[in-house]
Amino acid sequence: MEICHCWRLKRAAHHLNEFYDKALAPSGVTISQYGMLREINQHGGCSVMDLAGYLDLERSTLTRSLKPLMQKGFVSDCRECHMRNCRLVLTAEGHKAFEEAHLLWQKPRLLMKRPWEQRGVRTLETLLAAIQQAT
């Protein structure tokens, strides 16, 4: 029987998301939300369009995903009244949630970096990058 690589990658991604979501649960953010907070923090604020580009997501998908972060008060739209595009920034609570999530993110990340697993992780990262470029 042939293996469906798409299905296997989807299942592996689902399990990896659950693994990280469980680790980040005390911070109140999911791994997807952590990624959004990280990018907004790293860029000192950005537009939705820029954030979609950083995360390689469709803008409509990102907009739906941002709503919970805005409702929790972690992300704010700081556009000036004359600006057409929004400017997403982390609030004080958002910085606090990001810092807490970042500390929690370190543990599962380190588990993926164990010396005997590093070669496999590097191979996986290379393969995933190749798949992303090919599609």
Side-chain angles (χ1 to χ4, degrees):
M1 179 180 246
E2 291 183 36
I3 296 172
C4 178
H5 298 296
C6 183
W7 181 84
R8 298 275 309 261
L9 280 169
K10 186 175 181 175
R11 294 304 308 149
H14 174 75
H15 288 286
L16 196 57
N17 276 331
E18 285 184 339
F19 177 67
Y20 274 94
D21 282 348
K22 188 175 182 178
L24 295 178
S27 71
V29 299
T30 65
I31 189 63
S32 297
Q33 293 169 336
Y34 169 75
M36 289 182 262
L37 294 175
R38 184 190 65 230
E39 291 297 329
I40 295 168
N41 183 64
Q42 181 177 336
H43 295 282
C46 57
S47 69
V48 171
M49 189 170 292
D50 288 340
L51 185 58
Y54 302 145
L55 296 169
D56 196 20
L57 292 173
E58 291 183 22
R59 188 175 177 191
S60 59
T61 301
L62 179 61
T63 301
R64 283 190 305 275
S65 299
L66 276 169
K67 283 184 183 178
L69 292 174
M70 295 181 95
Q71 289 170 342
K72 289 180 180 181
F74 294 165
V75 175
S76 180
D77 179 356
C78 286
R79 87 178 95 189
E80 308 223 355
C81 60
H82 65 280
M83 292 177 66
R84 182 172 177 226
N85 293 326
C86 71
R87 176 127 179 98
L88 302 171
V89 295
L90 297 187
T91 63
E93 282 297 311
H95 280 287
K96 183 179 172 185
F98 169 71
E99 292 299 327
E100 183 178 355
H102 186 69
L103 290 173
L104 293 167
W105 175 82
Q106 295 295 325
K107 186 176 180 182
R109 180 72 176 142
L110 290 174
L111 289 175
M112 298 292 287
K113 293 277 187 180
R114 291 180 185 160
W116 61 88
E117 296 173 349
Q118 284 183 3
R119 183 172 169 213
V121 170
R122 280 193 299 267
T123 301
L124 175 63
E125 289 169 353
T126 301
L127 289 170
L128 292 173
I131 290 168
Q132 190 172 2
Q133 289 176 352
T135 57

